[in-house]
Amino acid sequence: MKLGFLTACLPESDLSDIARWAAEQGFQALEVAAWPAPDPRNHIRVDQFDEAESTRVKKIFEETGLTLSSIAYYDNNLHPTRRAGINAHLRRCVDAAAELGCPTVGTFVGRDPGLTVDANLKLAEEVFAPVVEHAARRGVTIVIENCVMKSWHPDGYPGNLAYSPELWEWMFTLGLKLNYDPSHLVGLGIDPIAAVTPYVDRIAHVQAKDTQILPGRIDRYGFYGPLGGDKGWYRFRVPGLGQVDWARLIDVLYEGGYDGVISVEHEDPVWSGDPAKVRAGLGIAYRTLHGLIVG
């Protein structure tokens, strides 16, 4: 395995600066954000990907010795009004990944909140079939993060229909694989180690984020959280500051044969607010995980 992080936590920094810092700290890989401009999380500009952009990105990874583990574009591929544009940008991510020799592109299934779950699943099969086929032709795997995305639904219901093992089994039939993030299962009352053990061979990428349970909050809000769908009784932390048993989880990944990248997804509110604090948070994650990964 290799240890890396998702660059979206440093939107104000250039990819070359992020990569140099990552290599100096001992990280071995980057999962690179590629949202469309003007979103600042566009460290690879796939919406204007040409020979010059390809050369720029390849040079950064050659000079630092880092691995480009995934191109990240996490948006709602079933959005009721923006779906066509989101799907088109996802294809551009696939094309850029193929050119750069990057094995995976990460995204969400999403959800149309105006449709039933069954209707959404049928819609997803229609939306993803041609994208998965296009990616396969180009030697790229599309991976889906198991984030709940409650903020995408007006009532705070799951907005990304890939949040549970039941839905993983469905999406595997579409040719999609899992970008496994254990933090989201903690907030669903699912054991993140027991849940993933049968599916390690379907994981093509791993995101490392932790979840801290806030004492007493669930007694006020209940499992579903406060009105409006906010989490309420838990918050995301960098690995080592929450509930996830990282030693056991990484052991299960090794035992199941996973040998890819573990990419820290930094969404910790304590270690956010400016680039120095974000980097300090990434340092905490590195110290938590580095000793568990066999180099």
Side-chain angles (χ1 to χ4, degrees):
M1 292 189 205
K2 293 182 178 179
L3 181 58
F5 64 87
L6 172 57
T7 65
C9 61
L10 292 166
E12 66 293 308
S13 299
D14 185 80
L15 178 60
S16 60
D17 294 333
I18 295 172
R20 281 196 297 270
W21 180 86
E24 289 168 359
Q25 303 308 306
F27 287 102
Q28 301 159 294
L30 288 178
E31 177 186 6
V32 180
W35 275 257
D39 193 311
R41 297 170 298 173
N42 63 340
H43 293 123
I44 294 178
R45 297 183 287 272
V46 305
D47 44 1
Q48 47 181 313
F49 195 80
D50 54 16
E51 186 176 348
E53 177 67 356
S54 176
T55 299
R56 180 186 76 92
V57 176
K58 287 178 179 177
K59 183 179 179 181
I60 290 170
F61 282 89
E62 287 169 1
E63 290 180 345
T64 58
L66 296 174
T67 294
L68 173 56
S69 68
S70 191
I71 292 180
Y73 172 52
Y74 288 92
D75 210 331
N76 185 353
N77 280 281
L78 304 186
H79 193 282
T81 61
R82 297 193 299 110
R83 180 164 63 241
I86 292 168
N87 299 164
H89 190 77
L90 180 60
R91 281 178 173 263
R92 288 192 285 271
C93 290
V94 168
D95 292 338
E99 170 64 23
L100 295 168
C102 177
T104 68
V105 169
T107 192
F108 290 136
V109 171
R111 178 179 187 169
D112 181 340
L115 300 178
T116 66
V117 171
D118 284 344
N120 268 284
L121 298 183
K122 290 184 177 69
L123 175 61
E125 292 169 5
E126 297 171 4
V127 166
F128 277 97
V131 181
V132 170
E133 182 180 354
H134 175 71
R137 286 198 304 268
R138 306 226 56 190
V140 175
T141 299
I142 296 179
V143 294
I144 304 294
E145 183 189 351
N146 54 293
C147 182
V148 183
M149 294 306 296
K150 292 190 287 186
S151 62
W152 281 354
H153 195 285
D155 292 319
Y157 299 139
N160 174 37
L161 295 178
Y163 57 85
S164 69
E166 177 186 18
L167 290 163
W168 303 346
E169 292 179 355
W170 160 77
M171 73 183 193
F172 295 152
T173 68
L174 308 184
L176 300 165
K177 289 200 173 182
L178 185 61
N179 186 7
Y180 181 61
D181 184 336
S183 67
H184 301 297
L185 296 182
V186 175
L188 290 169
I190 298 174
D191 181 335
I193 296 171
V196 79
T197 299
Y199 303 107
V200 174
D201 64 338
R202 302 299 187 96
I203 297 173
H205 200 262
V206 172
Q207 285 184 332
K209 187 164 75 261
D210 219 329
T211 298
Q212 178 186 19
I213 304 300
L214 303 174
R217 296 286 188 91
I218 198 168
D219 295 327
R220 172 172 174 78
Y221 297 122
F223 175 83
Y224 293 104
L227 297 175
D230 291 336
K231 294 180 283 293
W233 56 275
Y234 64 91
R235 62 181 180 176
F236 295 132
R237 304 300 308 272
V238 293
L241 300 180
Q243 316 297 128
V244 176
D245 183 344
W246 291 101
R248 183 69 188 116
L249 176 58
I250 291 175
D251 183 53
V252 165
L253 293 174
Y254 271 121
E255 185 175 0
Y258 181 74
D259 62 357
V261 169
I262 296 181
S263 176
V264 176
E265 185 184 18
H266 186 334
E267 294 183 349
D268 189 320
V270 177
W271 295 102
S272 295
D274 64 68
K277 291 184 72 174
V278 170
R279 287 183 168 90
L282 289 169
I284 294 170
Y286 179 87
R287 291 188 292 276
T288 298
L289 300 174
H290 174 68
L292 302 174
I293 295 175
V294 178

